[in-house]
Amino acid sequence: MIRIKDFCYWYPGQDQPALDGIDLEIPEGQFCGVVGPNGAGKSTLCYALSGFAPHFFHGTWEGELQVGKRDVPRSTLGELAGEIGLVFQNSFNQISGARFTVREEIAFGLENLGLKRKEIERRVEETLALIDLEALAERSPFALSGGQQQRVAIASILAMQPKLLVLDEPTSQLDPRGTQEVFKILDKLAGRGGTTVVLVEHKLEWLAAFADRVITFSQGRIVLDGSAKKILADEKLLKLGVGQTQFTQAAAAVQKKKFIPRSRPLPVTLKQAQKFFE
Amino acid sequence: MHGTLFVSGNSGLHRLHPLTKLALTFLFLVFAATLPNLLWLLAAFVILLVPMSAWGGLLRPFLRSCLVVITPFVISLSIIQGFFTPGETPLFHLAGFVLTGEGLLAGLTVASRILMALGGALLLMLSTRPDMLMLALTRSGLPGSLAYVVLTSIQIFPRFQERAQVILEAQQARGLEIKVNIFKRLRLLVPLMGPLVLSSIVDVEERAMALEARAFSRPGRKTSLLALADSPGQHLARWGLLLLMLALIGWSIWRAISS
Amino acid sequence: MKLSFEGVFFTYSTGVRALDGIDLSIGSGEFVAIVGENGAGKTTLVKLLNGLLRPDGGKVVVGNWDTAEYSTAQLAGRVGFLFQNPDEQLFERAVQREVAFGPRNLGFSERKIASKSMSALKTVGLADHAEDNPYDLAPFERKLLALAATLAMDTPVLVLDEPSIGQDAAGRRRIGRILRELHTMGSTILLISHDLDFCAEYAERAVVMANGHILADGLVEKIFAQNDLLQRAAVFPPQLVRLAQALKMPTAPLKVDQFVNAYSQWHRRKKRA
């Protein structure tokens, strides 16, 4: 699905590449988490996957980056829109502003794709149901809470039926209720399968709950890559400035005191931790 | 609808094609400019605009808005024109100035022209969703980006004000005294406007990306979830209205030349 | 510096009653976390401290000042404020000038301005960027810069609205350490945060708010151990509290070392039993 070979990217006027020789393959339908300290290149990866680097930010690049059959850096944003969806932090800025209700907001991208009205209506209804937005369909997208707005942003992208959904810290500006709302949706998507998802997220506990795989960035490179359970339990995350869930840290500390055998793998979620300690 | 005058409804006026209503608005504008006197203007307002607003179930909001907008014009124009237009019929003396009947009539005539033009625009705004109007206009050739700017400014402007308030608070919290005399006010400009401009630049960049992700700049025809109902009758009516406008303009030019 | 709210009410012009009878007093040098969902009234509450908002009823006192008698600019010398979004306050062309803005408004001497600004930049780790344009910094660095700009004002009270948002683990730890150090030097700190793990790690006392009321107020260990209470306020309990509860441990530890101790005791007792 995603094939990246030796991909480098430099923002305009920068000597240091923001992405430095990325090799990555993500099979179709995989839910892939991305972690790393601030400034490690996580957002740039999102921009590269969706074509904004280089098409929006300019700058220079080399290597290969393919999503499906699409050669991303050699395609235009117009071609990529709808095939690769990007959702980012600020929910307010993702509301188009040109539509007056949630229903019409979700339709906006489909209108730009030039779909027939019947098809637009069908997809909008389907998406409203999937993202639990039916009750809000006639509300103004500006009159919503952050979590609801972010769900509208996700719905607006999903309605376009992208092959790949890229989310760059979608919950970092939300309160716990909003965070939970958004993660519930992501959990649903992960469970449903079919959509390939790349999610950048600092909240490791949540990531552990539904990512199949986690890759770790540091200084523009991928430094760790593996199953979510293995990577999030890796002690190296502490040194990298990514941190670990307190479940993992507590388990490691207890293991050091020899209450629990070393052979038992460290937990990353509450459920795993419960099993670990019992 | 937030930030707009639109009053939802399902009347015949609401259901008219936005361009038909726009043509009517322009016709009333032409009326405002060409009808010869106060009597004609008031008659047109009472015979055309008031029943139309009633047809749209908008009589109350229409009259209320008209009253709110026109009252200051009536007062100021009557006074200015009334006292400063020379005439034969003095009505009222005040501190050496004379209010003349001719002046008052001239003032009221100008005010009624404004009422006519404004009333037409109000009818359009009260009965037409702005996005419908923009959709109709883009269908007839208005660039999509222009329509986007119009629609977003309706909704984003209130957010802009909210942000200005947040910035004001943030700088006050940093000890900035804002209750200062007029000369020192200038110094407030940079700390208050700076973040507004800079944060808006950040916002605009993000918003542009979000729009790209929604295929906004994709070449090719766009469709719409909204249905625009048109009819051959309305199409014909719009041409008719256009001809009527041209005729009115021609008539008033002819009158001007012949007098 | 002591703070107190006495029977405070506040209603926005939209008719939303944001504070509905708040009584709260905070001792000098306390480190208090204020938690609750958006709209609970947390931000409204703290804005009363420096007069950005004025109560409709009741009294807000900062030290020996009744806030009703002082302007925001005056109160800014006592209550430092870190807002959520740094982009809504940064405007200078150089980092150092940005940090000097607050101290200059407060009328510090040039020497004091220079020394306070520099030490604040060192504290947040931006000393090397003193000459840079704030807009060339990464978003998380701009947040640190806004923090430095607040620290440089050298106020006895510090209010922070979501300081850990957008920071990675290292950044969170850095901010946490800065707060802890200010706390040991006697600053009164009010921390608004949805990140209860962060609050649990650094704050001493917690105030839980919902719908303009204070739902609970007490030591962090006590408050954060009450799952139902936190759920009623729509916030997540800290991870270790949830874990301890899932294991049916008798205590609710907030930090990893506390958890390890509690677990080893519990483990031993269980073995004996």
Side-chain angles (χ1 to χ4, degrees):
Chain A
M1 170 72 201
I2 300 178
R3 259 194 54 236
I4 307 179
K5 269 196 80 178
D6 207 17
F7 188 82
C8 299
Y9 173 77
W10 292 261
Y11 283 103
Q14 301 285 319
D15 300 328
Q16 279 289 327
L19 294 177
D20 188 4
I22 302 295
D23 284 299
L24 180 64
E25 291 203 14
I26 298 178
E28 190 164 342
Q30 193 172 61
F31 199 119
C32 183
V34 180
V35 299
N38 286 327
K42 304 183 302 290
S43 291
T44 311
L45 175 74
C46 294
Y47 298 148
L49 284 171
S50 47
F52 287 101
H55 298 304
F56 187 84
F57 293 102
H58 307 293
T60 48
W61 58 279
E62 56 184 51
E64 294 294 321
L65 196 162
Q66 277 195 352
V67 175
K69 292 206 174 76
R70 179 74 70 186
D71 184 342
V72 175
R74 289 189 185 87
S75 304
T76 65
L77 284 178
E79 288 166 331
L80 293 168
E83 287 188 15
I84 301 163
L86 175 65
V87 172
F88 45 87
Q89 286 184 26
N90 185 321
S91 59
F92 172 72
N93 281 346
Q94 292 176 86
I95 301 298
S96 75
R99 294 294 179 265
F100 290 85
T101 66
V102 166
R103 182 190 303 281
E104 292 156 17
E105 177 67 23
I106 295 173
F108 181 69
L110 307 177
E111 296 172 333
N112 291 331
L113 289 177
L115 299 183
K116 292 217 169 68
R117 178 170 321 119
K118 273 264 146 55
E119 175 68 6
I120 296 181
E121 279 170 359
R122 195 183 64 75
R123 286 211 204 169
V124 168
E125 292 315 315
E126 212 178 83
T127 316
L128 283 170
L130 179 69
I131 312 293
D132 280 327
L133 286 168
E134 283 140 321
L136 302 175
E138 303 309 323
R139 295 265 294 274
S140 161
F142 287 102
L144 304 179
S145 72
Q148 293 168 334
Q149 239 173 26
Q150 192 64 295
R151 273 158 59 211
V152 172
I154 294 173
S156 302
I157 292 294
L158 276 180
M160 298 170 82
Q161 299 183 344
K163 291 189 205 126
L164 167 65
L165 176 64
V166 182
L167 304 114
D168 190 2
E169 295 190 48
T171 67
S172 75
Q173 298 185 4
L174 304 179
D175 73 346
R177 196 189 287 272
T179 302
Q180 210 165 11
E181 281 175 30
V182 168
F183 279 131
K184 236 187 192 160
I185 298 304
L186 295 184
D187 200 23
K188 208 165 169 182
L189 285 180
R192 192 184 65 154
T195 316
T196 312
V197 181
V198 171
L199 168 67
V200 175
E201 184 56 64
H202 279 301
K203 292 170 186 152
L204 304 182
E205 187 194 346
W206 290 101
L207 199 56
F210 40 69
D212 302 316
R213 169 181 175 189
V214 169
I215 58 178
T216 310
F217 266 76
S218 179
Q219 299 181 320
R221 292 165 193 266
I222 294 175
V223 289
L224 297 170
D225 182 355
S227 74
K229 198 166 177 223
K230 180 169 157 255
I231 300 300
L232 294 176
D234 196 322
E235 217 177 27
K236 286 185 208 111
L237 288 186
L238 292 172
K239 274 221 182 77
L240 285 167
V242 175
Q244 278 184 325
T245 65
Q246 300 223 291
F247 306 132
T248 313
Q249 292 182 41
V254 169
Q255 224 171 28
K256 269 190 196 119
K257 293 216 162 180
K258 305 204 172 78
F259 288 115
I260 287 169
R262 286 257 173 194
S263 57
R264 207 179 287 180
L266 291 172
V268 287
T269 62
L270 177 62
K271 270 211 185 104
Q272 292 168 5
Q274 203 178 337
K275 251 172 121 188
F276 178 92
F277 285 106
E278 275 170 348
Chain B
M1 222 173 253
H2 208 69
T4 72
L5 289 176
F6 178 70
V7 180
S8 60
N10 197 30
S11 70
L13 182 65
H14 280 91
R15 287 199 309 267
L16 278 186
H17 191 274
L19 289 186
T20 310
K21 285 185 267 190
L22 190 65
L24 280 168
T25 305
F26 277 112
L27 176 70
F28 297 143
L29 189 67
V30 172
F31 274 169
T34 58
L35 289 183
N37 57 40
L38 182 64
L39 198 67
W40 274 91
L41 286 157
L42 287 181
F45 186 80
V46 172
I47 295 170
L48 294 172
L49 274 80
V50 174
M52 263 184 72
S53 71
W55 181 40
L58 299 166
L59 191 61
R60 254 167 187 281
F62 175 71
L63 290 180
R64 198 189 317 121
S65 309
C66 281
L67 204 66
V68 169
V69 181
I70 206 62
T71 310
F73 282 108
V74 170
I75 294 171
S76 59
L77 286 167
S78 303
I79 292 174
I80 294 170
Q81 298 268 5
F83 281 104
F84 296 100
T85 311
E88 321 261 288
T89 30
L91 295 176
F92 187 72
H93 294 264
L94 186 82
F97 291 99
V98 189
L99 181 79
T100 65
E102 289 81 357
L104 191 62
L105 190 66
L108 288 175
T109 308
V110 177
S112 65
R113 288 189 195 285
I114 293 171
L115 178 66
M116 189 77 213
L118 250 153
L122 270 171
L123 266 186
L124 176 71
M125 288 193 278
L126 285 167
S127 67
T128 316
R129 292 172 50 142
D131 45 351
M132 282 283 201
L133 179 61
M134 287 303 143
L135 177 62
L137 287 171
T138 37
R139 289 270 162 86
S140 3
L142 181 84
S145 48
L146 197 63
Y148 174 79
V149 169
V150 172
L151 289 176
T152 45
S153 50
I154 294 172
Q155 297 202 78
I156 305 231
F157 186 70
R159 319 292 139 184
F160 209 63
Q161 285 175 306
E162 278 167 26
R163 165 166 300 162
Q165 180 62 31
V166 174
I167 291 169
L168 184 67
E169 289 182 353
Q171 305 304 42
Q172 279 181 282
R174 295 170 80 190
L176 187 69
E177 183 58 80
I178 55 161
K179 290 187 182 107
V180 291
N181 65 44
I182 198 119
F183 300 105
K184 286 190 182 160
R185 287 255 167 105
L186 219 56
R187 270 192 237 157
L188 297 180
L189 210 61
V190 178
L192 295 183
M193 291 307 292
L196 194 61
V197 173
L198 291 170
S199 62
S200 299
I201 292 173
V202 173
D203 269 20
V204 165
E205 185 171 75
E206 272 194 16
R207 202 170 282 280
M209 279 173 61
L211 280 180
E212 290 291 353
R214 307 277 289 284
F216 187 66
S217 69
R218 176 186 162 276
R221 200 181 136 77
K222 294 175 194 230
T223 48
S224 175
L225 178 67
L226 302 175
L228 274 178
D230 204 356
S231 61
Q234 283 196 58
H235 198 79
L236 207 66
R238 289 199 290 272
W239 282 106
L241 287 168
L242 188 67
L243 284 177
L244 186 56
M245 282 183 242
L246 291 174
L248 275 167
I249 292 169
W251 175 52
S252 81
I253 291 173
W254 180 77
R255 263 191 316 147
I257 295 169
S258 59
S259 69
Chain C
M1 188 168 281
K2 259 174 52 186
L3 306 171
S4 74
F5 299 84
E6 295 161 27
V8 169
F9 288 84
F10 185 85
T11 306
Y12 283 98
S13 57
T14 53
V16 176
R17 168 154 285 190
L19 297 177
D20 198 7
I22 298 285
D23 287 291
L24 176 67
S25 70
I26 291 165
S28 188
E30 276 198 86
F31 190 155
V32 184
I34 304 178
V35 302
E37 70 176 317
N38 287 352
K42 302 171 307 233
T43 306
T44 309
L45 183 76
V46 293
K47 276 183 179 172
L48 296 169
L49 286 173
N50 60 0
L52 286 174
L53 297 174
R54 305 283 176 178
D56 301 331
K59 202 160 112 176
V60 180
V61 184
V62 174
N64 53 356
W65 287 3
D66 180 343
T67 54
E69 290 158 23
Y70 294 87
S71 74
T72 298
Q74 286 170 316
L75 288 161
R78 290 197 162 183
V79 183
F81 225 102
L82 176 67
F83 278 77
Q84 240 186 75
N85 183 354
D87 292 348
E88 287 171 346
Q89 66 176 75
L90 304 179
F91 68 96
E92 291 277 16
R93 274 154 296 149
V95 163
Q96 190 161 25
R97 290 172 56 114
E98 191 68 60
V99 179
F101 178 73
R104 185 156 290 134
N105 285 331
L106 295 179
F108 289 6
S109 70
E110 282 304 318
R111 254 184 65 190
K112 195 172 169 192
I113 292 174
S115 77
K116 289 289 170 202
S117 312
M118 210 49 219
S119 77
L121 281 176
K122 271 192 197 127
T123 307
V124 303
L126 286 176
D128 294 340
H129 293 282
E131 302 304 322
D132 291 356
N133 188 316
Y135 270 78
D136 292 336
L137 301 179
F140 78 97
E141 290 171 321
R142 289 208 287 269
K143 184 99 183 189
L144 291 171
L145 170 56
L147 176 60
T150 310
L151 296 181
M153 292 168 73
D154 201 21
T155 53
V157 182
L158 207 59
V159 177
L160 305 108
D161 197 352
E162 298 292 351
S164 61
I165 269 190
Q167 300 287 332
D168 58 15
R172 275 174 83 217
R173 221 168 24 243
R174 162 159 241 146
I175 291 174
R177 272 202 298 258
I178 293 170
L179 298 186
R180 186 176 281 159
E181 187 172 326
L182 288 165
H183 176 51
T184 51
M185 307 221 309
S187 295
T188 307
I189 301 176
L190 267 66
L191 166 67
I192 294 180
S193 180
H194 295 312
D195 184 347
L196 261 62
D197 289 308
F198 185 76
C199 295
E201 183 86 32
Y202 300 102
E204 286 174 334
R205 175 178 165 190
V207 172
V208 184
M209 290 187 72
N211 298 321
H213 294 276
I214 292 179
L215 275 193
D217 176 5
L219 288 177
V220 169
E221 290 81 4
K222 278 230 173 84
I223 299 293
F224 285 4
Q226 301 175 48
N227 217 341
D228 331 339
L229 168 75
L230 296 176
Q231 235 135 55
R232 246 191 305 147
V235 295
F236 293 134
Q239 290 175 359
L240 292 178
V241 170
R242 276 183 285 146
L243 176 57
Q245 237 151 27
L247 294 173
K248 301 199 176 62
M249 281 166 63
T251 50
L254 295 180
K255 299 177 190 175
V256 170
D257 51 340
Q258 289 170 356
F259 180 88
V260 174
N261 287 337
Y263 181 79
S264 44
Q265 274 174 22
W266 180 67
H267 189 75
R268 258 180 244 130
R269 213 171 306 142
K270 248 180 46 175
K271 251 188 183 166
R272 250 178 274 144

